[in-house]
Amino acid sequence: MNGLSTVFILVGLFLLGGVYSFWKQKIPRSVIILMAIASAMCLAAGVLRLEVWN
């Protein structure tokens, strides 16, 4: 696991926590969907950059 994949995974998890927090605060759904998409993209990028796949 290199540094950049770790950063992507941590940012993705941080954004996922933000999605949960915004959902509890009843923030508009469009903001939650946008943050969920960003979280999924960061997590996917981090997982795909793992050296397991090479």
PDB file of all heavy atoms in Angstrom, residues 20-53:
ATOM      1  N   TYR A  20     -22.961  10.624   5.907  1.00  0.00           N
ATOM      2  CA  TYR A  20     -23.786  10.188   7.041  1.00  0.00           C
ATOM      3  C   TYR A  20     -24.196  11.377   7.908  1.00  0.00           C
ATOM      4  O   TYR A  20     -25.353  11.503   8.305  1.00  0.00           O
ATOM      5  CB  TYR A  20     -23.021   9.160   7.872  1.00  0.00           C
ATOM      6  CG  TYR A  20     -23.771   8.697   9.090  1.00  0.00           C
ATOM      7  CD1 TYR A  20     -24.854   7.837   8.962  1.00  0.00           C
ATOM      8  CD2 TYR A  20     -23.416   9.131  10.365  1.00  0.00           C
ATOM      9  CE1 TYR A  20     -25.562   7.416  10.073  1.00  0.00           C
ATOM     10  CE2 TYR A  20     -24.110   8.720  11.476  1.00  0.00           C
ATOM     11  CZ  TYR A  20     -25.181   7.861  11.334  1.00  0.00           C
ATOM     12  OH  TYR A  20     -25.889   7.457  12.426  1.00  0.00           O
ATOM     13  N   SER A  21     -23.255  12.271   8.168  1.00  0.00           N
ATOM     14  CA  SER A  21     -23.545  13.441   8.995  1.00  0.00           C
ATOM     15  C   SER A  21     -24.568  14.355   8.321  1.00  0.00           C
ATOM     16  O   SER A  21     -25.498  14.846   8.970  1.00  0.00           O
ATOM     17  CB  SER A  21     -22.256  14.213   9.260  1.00  0.00           C
ATOM     18  OG  SER A  21     -22.509  15.417   9.927  1.00  0.00           O
ATOM     19  N   PHE A  22     -24.389  14.596   7.022  1.00  0.00           N
ATOM     20  CA  PHE A  22     -25.322  15.456   6.306  1.00  0.00           C
ATOM     21  C   PHE A  22     -26.703  14.821   6.244  1.00  0.00           C
ATOM     22  O   PHE A  22     -27.708  15.513   6.266  1.00  0.00           O
ATOM     23  CB  PHE A  22     -24.815  15.751   4.899  1.00  0.00           C
ATOM     24  CG  PHE A  22     -23.755  16.821   4.843  1.00  0.00           C
ATOM     25  CD1 PHE A  22     -23.183  17.343   5.992  1.00  0.00           C
ATOM     26  CD2 PHE A  22     -23.329  17.317   3.625  1.00  0.00           C
ATOM     27  CE1 PHE A  22     -22.218  18.316   5.944  1.00  0.00           C
ATOM     28  CE2 PHE A  22     -22.366  18.298   3.556  1.00  0.00           C
ATOM     29  CZ  PHE A  22     -21.812  18.799   4.717  1.00  0.00           C
ATOM     30  N   TRP A  23     -26.762  13.494   6.113  1.00  0.00           N
ATOM     31  CA  TRP A  23     -28.049  12.802   6.090  1.00  0.00           C
ATOM     32  C   TRP A  23     -28.788  13.018   7.401  1.00  0.00           C
ATOM     33  O   TRP A  23     -29.996  13.251   7.420  1.00  0.00           O
ATOM     34  CB  TRP A  23     -27.821  11.320   5.831  1.00  0.00           C
ATOM     35  CG  TRP A  23     -29.087  10.541   5.706  1.00  0.00           C
ATOM     36  CD1 TRP A  23     -29.736   9.874   6.697  1.00  0.00           C
ATOM     37  CD2 TRP A  23     -29.876  10.362   4.532  1.00  0.00           C
ATOM     38  NE1 TRP A  23     -30.863   9.288   6.213  1.00  0.00           N
ATOM     39  CE2 TRP A  23     -30.980   9.566   4.885  1.00  0.00           C
ATOM     40  CE3 TRP A  23     -29.732  10.793   3.220  1.00  0.00           C
ATOM     41  CZ2 TRP A  23     -31.940   9.206   3.950  1.00  0.00           C
ATOM     42  CZ3 TRP A  23     -30.684  10.426   2.304  1.00  0.00           C
ATOM     43  CH2 TRP A  23     -31.782   9.642   2.680  1.00  0.00           C
ATOM     44  N   LYS A  24     -28.064  12.953   8.534  1.00  0.00           N
ATOM     45  CA  LYS A  24     -28.688  13.162   9.838  1.00  0.00           C
ATOM     46  C   LYS A  24     -29.150  14.606  10.025  1.00  0.00           C
ATOM     47  O   LYS A  24     -30.116  14.854  10.738  1.00  0.00           O
ATOM     48  CB  LYS A  24     -27.695  12.811  10.960  1.00  0.00           C
ATOM     49  CG  LYS A  24     -27.428  11.339  11.092  1.00  0.00           C
ATOM     50  CD  LYS A  24     -28.659  10.660  11.615  1.00  0.00           C
ATOM     51  CE  LYS A  24     -28.327   9.280  12.090  1.00  0.00           C
ATOM     52  NZ  LYS A  24     -29.488   8.592  12.619  1.00  0.00           N
ATOM     53  N   GLN A  25     -28.443  15.566   9.398  1.00  0.00           N
ATOM     54  CA  GLN A  25     -28.796  16.978   9.540  1.00  0.00           C
ATOM     55  C   GLN A  25     -29.863  17.428   8.545  1.00  0.00           C
ATOM     56  O   GLN A  25     -30.225  18.599   8.524  1.00  0.00           O
ATOM     57  CB  GLN A  25     -27.552  17.843   9.339  1.00  0.00           C
ATOM     58  CG  GLN A  25     -26.494  17.649  10.388  1.00  0.00           C
ATOM     59  CD  GLN A  25     -25.271  18.486  10.101  1.00  0.00           C
ATOM     60  OE1 GLN A  25     -25.375  19.564   9.528  1.00  0.00           O
ATOM     61  NE2 GLN A  25     -24.122  17.994  10.492  1.00  0.00           N
ATOM     62  N   LYS A  26     -30.337  16.526   7.709  1.00  0.00           N
ATOM     63  CA  LYS A  26     -31.369  16.824   6.704  1.00  0.00           C
ATOM     64  C   LYS A  26     -30.912  17.884   5.699  1.00  0.00           C
ATOM     65  O   LYS A  26     -31.674  18.757   5.298  1.00  0.00           O
ATOM     66  CB  LYS A  26     -32.668  17.283   7.366  1.00  0.00           C
ATOM     67  CG  LYS A  26     -33.200  16.348   8.419  1.00  0.00           C
ATOM     68  CD  LYS A  26     -33.793  15.120   7.803  1.00  0.00           C
ATOM     69  CE  LYS A  26     -34.583  14.380   8.868  1.00  0.00           C
ATOM     70  NZ  LYS A  26     -34.319  12.982   8.927  1.00  0.00           N
ATOM     71  N   ILE A  27     -29.645  17.809   5.299  1.00  0.00           N
ATOM     72  CA  ILE A  27     -29.112  18.686   4.248  1.00  0.00           C
ATOM     73  C   ILE A  27     -29.775  18.267   2.924  1.00  0.00           C
ATOM     74  O   ILE A  27     -30.144  17.110   2.769  1.00  0.00           O
ATOM     75  CB  ILE A  27     -27.574  18.534   4.174  1.00  0.00           C
ATOM     76  CG1 ILE A  27     -26.929  18.896   5.522  1.00  0.00           C
ATOM     77  CG2 ILE A  27     -26.967  19.378   3.068  1.00  0.00           C
ATOM     78  CD1 ILE A  27     -27.038  20.327   5.915  1.00  0.00           C
ATOM     79  N   PRO A  28     -29.920  19.166   1.952  1.00  0.00           N
ATOM     80  CA  PRO A  28     -30.559  18.795   0.685  1.00  0.00           C
ATOM     81  C   PRO A  28     -29.921  17.570   0.021  1.00  0.00           C
ATOM     82  O   PRO A  28     -28.713  17.370   0.078  1.00  0.00           O
ATOM     83  CB  PRO A  28     -30.363  20.039  -0.186  1.00  0.00           C
ATOM     84  CG  PRO A  28     -30.276  21.157   0.783  1.00  0.00           C
ATOM     85  CD  PRO A  28     -29.603  20.594   2.000  1.00  0.00           C
ATOM     86  N   ARG A  29     -30.771  16.777  -0.590  1.00  0.00           N
ATOM     87  CA  ARG A  29     -30.356  15.488  -1.138  1.00  0.00           C
ATOM     88  C   ARG A  29     -29.305  15.621  -2.234  1.00  0.00           C
ATOM     89  O   ARG A  29     -28.440  14.759  -2.376  1.00  0.00           O
ATOM     90  CB  ARG A  29     -31.570  14.761  -1.679  1.00  0.00           C
ATOM     91  CG  ARG A  29     -31.290  13.343  -2.057  1.00  0.00           C
ATOM     92  CD  ARG A  29     -32.554  12.603  -2.282  1.00  0.00           C
ATOM     93  NE  ARG A  29     -33.324  12.610  -1.046  1.00  0.00           N
ATOM     94  CZ  ARG A  29     -33.950  11.561  -0.569  1.00  0.00           C
ATOM     95  NH1 ARG A  29     -33.902  10.442  -1.215  1.00  0.00           N
ATOM     96  NH2 ARG A  29     -34.622  11.637   0.558  1.00  0.00           N
ATOM     97  N   SER A  30     -29.334  16.705  -2.995  1.00  0.00           N
ATOM     98  CA  SER A  30     -28.367  16.862  -4.080  1.00  0.00           C
ATOM     99  C   SER A  30     -26.944  16.987  -3.541  1.00  0.00           C
ATOM    100  O   SER A  30     -26.001  16.469  -4.143  1.00  0.00           O
ATOM    101  CB  SER A  30     -28.720  18.074  -4.935  1.00  0.00           C
ATOM    102  OG  SER A  30     -28.698  19.248  -4.162  1.00  0.00           O
ATOM    103  N   VAL A  31     -26.777  17.656  -2.421  1.00  0.00           N
ATOM    104  CA  VAL A  31     -25.457  17.789  -1.801  1.00  0.00           C
ATOM    105  C   VAL A  31     -24.981  16.426  -1.301  1.00  0.00           C
ATOM    106  O   VAL A  31     -23.810  16.059  -1.462  1.00  0.00           O
ATOM    107  CB  VAL A  31     -25.502  18.809  -0.641  1.00  0.00           C
ATOM    108  CG1 VAL A  31     -24.179  18.878   0.083  1.00  0.00           C
ATOM    109  CG2 VAL A  31     -25.903  20.174  -1.152  1.00  0.00           C
ATOM    110  N   ILE A  32     -25.886  15.665  -0.720  1.00  0.00           N
ATOM    111  CA  ILE A  32     -25.539  14.343  -0.205  1.00  0.00           C
ATOM    112  C   ILE A  32     -25.144  13.416  -1.352  1.00  0.00           C
ATOM    113  O   ILE A  32     -24.156  12.675  -1.248  1.00  0.00           O
ATOM    114  CB  ILE A  32     -26.715  13.762   0.601  1.00  0.00           C
ATOM    115  CG1 ILE A  32     -26.956  14.611   1.849  1.00  0.00           C
ATOM    116  CG2 ILE A  32     -26.456  12.317   0.978  1.00  0.00           C
ATOM    117  CD1 ILE A  32     -28.203  14.246   2.608  1.00  0.00           C
ATOM    118  N   ILE A  33     -25.871  13.468  -2.453  1.00  0.00           N
ATOM    119  CA  ILE A  33     -25.559  12.615  -3.604  1.00  0.00           C
ATOM    120  C   ILE A  33     -24.205  12.987  -4.196  1.00  0.00           C
ATOM    121  O   ILE A  33     -23.398  12.115  -4.534  1.00  0.00           O
ATOM    122  CB  ILE A  33     -26.678  12.707  -4.651  1.00  0.00           C
ATOM    123  CG1 ILE A  33     -27.937  12.040  -4.110  1.00  0.00           C
ATOM    124  CG2 ILE A  33     -26.252  12.080  -5.966  1.00  0.00           C
ATOM    125  CD1 ILE A  33     -29.157  12.226  -4.970  1.00  0.00           C
ATOM    126  N   LEU A  34     -23.932  14.280  -4.305  1.00  0.00           N
ATOM    127  CA  LEU A  34     -22.650  14.728  -4.836  1.00  0.00           C
ATOM    128  C   LEU A  34     -21.498  14.250  -3.953  1.00  0.00           C
ATOM    129  O   LEU A  34     -20.469  13.775  -4.446  1.00  0.00           O
ATOM    130  CB  LEU A  34     -22.647  16.249  -4.968  1.00  0.00           C
ATOM    131  CG  LEU A  34     -21.411  16.873  -5.578  1.00  0.00           C
ATOM    132  CD1 LEU A  34     -21.282  16.426  -7.033  1.00  0.00           C
ATOM    133  CD2 LEU A  34     -21.499  18.383  -5.497  1.00  0.00           C
ATOM    134  N   MET A  35     -21.662  14.358  -2.641  1.00  0.00           N
ATOM    135  CA  MET A  35     -20.612  13.920  -1.730  1.00  0.00           C
ATOM    136  C   MET A  35     -20.462  12.402  -1.751  1.00  0.00           C
ATOM    137  O   MET A  35     -19.343  11.885  -1.649  1.00  0.00           O
ATOM    138  CB  MET A  35     -20.902  14.398  -0.306  1.00  0.00           C
ATOM    139  CG  MET A  35     -19.743  14.176   0.640  1.00  0.00           C
ATOM    140  SD  MET A  35     -20.036  14.840   2.272  1.00  0.00           S
ATOM    141  CE  MET A  35     -19.808  16.560   1.951  1.00  0.00           C
ATOM    142  N   ALA A  36     -21.554  11.684  -1.915  1.00  0.00           N
ATOM    143  CA  ALA A  36     -21.484  10.224  -1.990  1.00  0.00           C
ATOM    144  C   ALA A  36     -20.751   9.784  -3.257  1.00  0.00           C
ATOM    145  O   ALA A  36     -19.958   8.831  -3.219  1.00  0.00           O
ATOM    146  CB  ALA A  36     -22.880   9.630  -1.950  1.00  0.00           C
ATOM    147  N   ILE A  37     -20.988  10.475  -4.357  1.00  0.00           N
ATOM    148  CA  ILE A  37     -20.281  10.149  -5.604  1.00  0.00           C
ATOM    149  C   ILE A  37     -18.787  10.419  -5.452  1.00  0.00           C
ATOM    150  O   ILE A  37     -17.948   9.603  -5.858  1.00  0.00           O
ATOM    151  CB  ILE A  37     -20.881  10.941  -6.780  1.00  0.00           C
ATOM    152  CG1 ILE A  37     -22.282  10.429  -7.085  1.00  0.00           C
ATOM    153  CG2 ILE A  37     -19.990  10.852  -8.014  1.00  0.00           C
ATOM    154  CD1 ILE A  37     -23.048  11.277  -8.070  1.00  0.00           C
ATOM    155  N   ALA A  38     -18.445  11.551  -4.836  1.00  0.00           N
ATOM    156  CA  ALA A  38     -17.032  11.873  -4.615  1.00  0.00           C
ATOM    157  C   ALA A  38     -16.381  10.845  -3.694  1.00  0.00           C
ATOM    158  O   ALA A  38     -15.235  10.436  -3.927  1.00  0.00           O
ATOM    159  CB  ALA A  38     -16.903  13.274  -4.023  1.00  0.00           C
ATOM    160  N   SER A  39     -17.089  10.416  -2.674  1.00  0.00           N
ATOM    161  CA  SER A  39     -16.563   9.408  -1.762  1.00  0.00           C
ATOM    162  C   SER A  39     -16.329   8.089  -2.487  1.00  0.00           C
ATOM    163  O   SER A  39     -15.280   7.452  -2.318  1.00  0.00           O
ATOM    164  CB  SER A  39     -17.535   9.201  -0.602  1.00  0.00           C
ATOM    165  OG  SER A  39     -17.142   8.117   0.190  1.00  0.00           O
ATOM    166  N   ALA A  40     -17.279   7.677  -3.304  1.00  0.00           N
ATOM    167  CA  ALA A  40     -17.137   6.420  -4.047  1.00  0.00           C
ATOM    168  C   ALA A  40     -15.967   6.491  -5.023  1.00  0.00           C
ATOM    169  O   ALA A  40     -15.214   5.521  -5.173  1.00  0.00           O
ATOM    170  CB  ALA A  40     -18.436   6.110  -4.783  1.00  0.00           C
ATOM    171  N   MET A  41     -15.787   7.646  -5.662  1.00  0.00           N
ATOM    172  CA  MET A  41     -14.674   7.787  -6.602  1.00  0.00           C
ATOM    173  C   MET A  41     -13.332   7.741  -5.884  1.00  0.00           C
ATOM    174  O   MET A  41     -12.383   7.112  -6.374  1.00  0.00           O
ATOM    175  CB  MET A  41     -14.820   9.083  -7.389  1.00  0.00           C
ATOM    176  CG  MET A  41     -15.947   9.044  -8.397  1.00  0.00           C
ATOM    177  SD  MET A  41     -16.222  10.615  -9.236  1.00  0.00           S
ATOM    178  CE  MET A  41     -14.691  10.843 -10.087  1.00  0.00           C
ATOM    179  N   CYS A  42     -13.225   8.380  -4.731  1.00  0.00           N
ATOM    180  CA  CYS A  42     -11.978   8.348  -3.973  1.00  0.00           C
ATOM    181  C   CYS A  42     -11.674   6.941  -3.478  1.00  0.00           C
ATOM    182  O   CYS A  42     -10.528   6.481  -3.560  1.00  0.00           O
ATOM    183  CB  CYS A  42     -12.051   9.309  -2.788  1.00  0.00           C
ATOM    184  SG  CYS A  42     -11.799  11.024  -3.224  1.00  0.00           S
ATOM    185  N   LEU A  43     -12.683   6.259  -2.964  1.00  0.00           N
ATOM    186  CA  LEU A  43     -12.459   4.890  -2.491  1.00  0.00           C
ATOM    187  C   LEU A  43     -12.071   3.972  -3.643  1.00  0.00           C
ATOM    188  O   LEU A  43     -11.162   3.149  -3.505  1.00  0.00           O
ATOM    189  CB  LEU A  43     -13.711   4.372  -1.787  1.00  0.00           C
ATOM    190  CG  LEU A  43     -13.974   4.958  -0.403  1.00  0.00           C
ATOM    191  CD1 LEU A  43     -15.336   4.512   0.109  1.00  0.00           C
ATOM    192  CD2 LEU A  43     -12.881   4.552   0.573  1.00  0.00           C
ATOM    193  N   ALA A  44     -12.728   4.123  -4.780  1.00  0.00           N
ATOM    194  CA  ALA A  44     -12.396   3.290  -5.936  1.00  0.00           C
ATOM    195  C   ALA A  44     -10.977   3.575  -6.423  1.00  0.00           C
ATOM    196  O   ALA A  44     -10.230   2.647  -6.756  1.00  0.00           O
ATOM    197  CB  ALA A  44     -13.398   3.525  -7.050  1.00  0.00           C
ATOM    198  N   ALA A  45     -10.600   4.835  -6.466  1.00  0.00           N
ATOM    199  CA  ALA A  45      -9.248   5.185  -6.905  1.00  0.00           C
ATOM    200  C   ALA A  45      -8.206   4.630  -5.949  1.00  0.00           C
ATOM    201  O   ALA A  45      -7.163   4.125  -6.370  1.00  0.00           O
ATOM    202  CB  ALA A  45      -9.105   6.707  -7.009  1.00  0.00           C
ATOM    203  N   GLY A  46      -8.480   4.711  -4.647  1.00  0.00           N
ATOM    204  CA  GLY A  46      -7.540   4.171  -3.673  1.00  0.00           C
ATOM    205  C   GLY A  46      -7.401   2.668  -3.768  1.00  0.00           C
ATOM    206  O   GLY A  46      -6.293   2.122  -3.699  1.00  0.00           O
ATOM    207  N   VAL A  47      -8.513   1.976  -3.951  1.00  0.00           N
ATOM    208  CA  VAL A  47      -8.469   0.516  -4.041  1.00  0.00           C
ATOM    209  C   VAL A  47      -7.792   0.086  -5.341  1.00  0.00           C
ATOM    210  O   VAL A  47      -6.996  -0.858  -5.354  1.00  0.00           O
ATOM    211  CB  VAL A  47      -9.891  -0.066  -3.926  1.00  0.00           C
ATOM    212  CG1 VAL A  47      -9.919  -1.534  -4.299  1.00  0.00           C
ATOM    213  CG2 VAL A  47     -10.417   0.126  -2.512  1.00  0.00           C
ATOM    214  N   LEU A  48      -8.072   0.780  -6.438  1.00  0.00           N
ATOM    215  CA  LEU A  48      -7.466   0.404  -7.708  1.00  0.00           C
ATOM    216  C   LEU A  48      -5.970   0.705  -7.758  1.00  0.00           C
ATOM    217  O   LEU A  48      -5.247   0.088  -8.543  1.00  0.00           O
ATOM    218  CB  LEU A  48      -8.179   1.095  -8.864  1.00  0.00           C
ATOM    219  CG  LEU A  48      -9.588   0.589  -9.151  1.00  0.00           C
ATOM    220  CD1 LEU A  48     -10.244   1.424 -10.227  1.00  0.00           C
ATOM    221  CD2 LEU A  48      -9.558  -0.875  -9.549  1.00  0.00           C
ATOM    222  N   ARG A  49      -5.503   1.650  -6.950  1.00  0.00           N
ATOM    223  CA  ARG A  49      -4.086   1.958  -6.914  1.00  0.00           C
ATOM    224  C   ARG A  49      -3.286   1.018  -6.012  1.00  0.00           C
ATOM    225  O   ARG A  49      -2.072   1.110  -5.977  1.00  0.00           O
ATOM    226  CB  ARG A  49      -3.858   3.399  -6.456  1.00  0.00           C
ATOM    227  CG  ARG A  49      -4.187   4.421  -7.513  1.00  0.00           C
ATOM    228  CD  ARG A  49      -3.671   5.780  -7.143  1.00  0.00           C
ATOM    229  NE  ARG A  49      -2.251   5.783  -6.878  1.00  0.00           N
ATOM    230  CZ  ARG A  49      -1.306   5.990  -7.809  1.00  0.00           C
ATOM    231  NH1 ARG A  49      -1.648   6.150  -9.050  1.00  0.00           N
ATOM    232  NH2 ARG A  49      -0.042   5.997  -7.479  1.00  0.00           N
ATOM    233  N   LEU A  50      -3.965   0.140  -5.294  1.00  0.00           N
ATOM    234  CA  LEU A  50      -3.258  -0.820  -4.450  1.00  0.00           C
ATOM    235  C   LEU A  50      -2.372  -1.712  -5.324  1.00  0.00           C
ATOM    236  O   LEU A  50      -2.705  -2.025  -6.461  1.00  0.00           O
ATOM    237  CB  LEU A  50      -4.238  -1.681  -3.660  1.00  0.00           C
ATOM    238  CG  LEU A  50      -5.017  -0.974  -2.560  1.00  0.00           C
ATOM    239  CD1 LEU A  50      -6.024  -1.934  -1.951  1.00  0.00           C
ATOM    240  CD2 LEU A  50      -4.087  -0.458  -1.486  1.00  0.00           C
ATOM    241  N   GLU A  51      -1.256  -2.114  -4.783  1.00  0.00           N
ATOM    242  CA  GLU A  51      -0.333  -2.912  -5.573  1.00  0.00           C
ATOM    243  C   GLU A  51      -0.726  -4.376  -5.634  1.00  0.00           C
ATOM    244  O   GLU A  51      -0.014  -5.192  -6.206  1.00  0.00           O
ATOM    245  CB  GLU A  51       1.067  -2.750  -5.001  1.00  0.00           C
ATOM    246  CG  GLU A  51       1.560  -1.319  -5.144  1.00  0.00           C
ATOM    247  CD  GLU A  51       2.944  -1.104  -4.565  1.00  0.00           C
ATOM    248  OE1 GLU A  51       3.583  -2.108  -4.231  1.00  0.00           O
ATOM    249  OE2 GLU A  51       3.333   0.043  -4.460  1.00  0.00           O
ATOM    250  N   VAL A  52      -1.860  -4.736  -5.067  1.00  0.00           N
ATOM    251  CA  VAL A  52      -2.350  -6.096  -5.126  1.00  0.00           C
ATOM    252  C   VAL A  52      -2.716  -6.467  -6.560  1.00  0.00           C
ATOM    253  O   VAL A  52      -2.567  -7.611  -6.984  1.00  0.00           O
ATOM    254  CB  VAL A  52      -3.582  -6.261  -4.201  1.00  0.00           C
ATOM    255  CG1 VAL A  52      -4.203  -7.627  -4.327  1.00  0.00           C
ATOM    256  CG2 VAL A  52      -3.195  -5.957  -2.773  1.00  0.00           C
ATOM    257  N   TRP A  53      -3.186  -5.469  -7.336  1.00  0.00           N
ATOM    258  CA  TRP A  53      -3.712  -5.733  -8.663  1.00  0.00           C
ATOM    259  C   TRP A  53      -2.607  -5.923  -9.704  1.00  0.00           C
ATOM    260  O   TRP A  53      -2.878  -6.372 -10.804  1.00  0.00           O
ATOM    261  CB  TRP A  53      -4.615  -4.585  -9.099  1.00  0.00           C
ATOM    262  CG  TRP A  53      -5.633  -4.243  -8.076  1.00  0.00           C
ATOM    263  CD1 TRP A  53      -5.695  -3.071  -7.357  1.00  0.00           C
ATOM    264  CD2 TRP A  53      -6.719  -5.038  -7.605  1.00  0.00           C
ATOM    265  NE1 TRP A  53      -6.748  -3.101  -6.493  1.00  0.00           N
ATOM    266  CE2 TRP A  53      -7.391  -4.297  -6.621  1.00  0.00           C
ATOM    267  CE3 TRP A  53      -7.184  -6.309  -7.925  1.00  0.00           C
ATOM    268  CZ2 TRP A  53      -8.500  -4.794  -5.955  1.00  0.00           C
ATOM    269  CZ3 TRP A  53      -8.291  -6.805  -7.264  1.00  0.00           C
ATOM    270  CH2 TRP A  53      -8.947  -6.050  -6.298  1.00  0.00           C
TER     271      TRP A  53
END
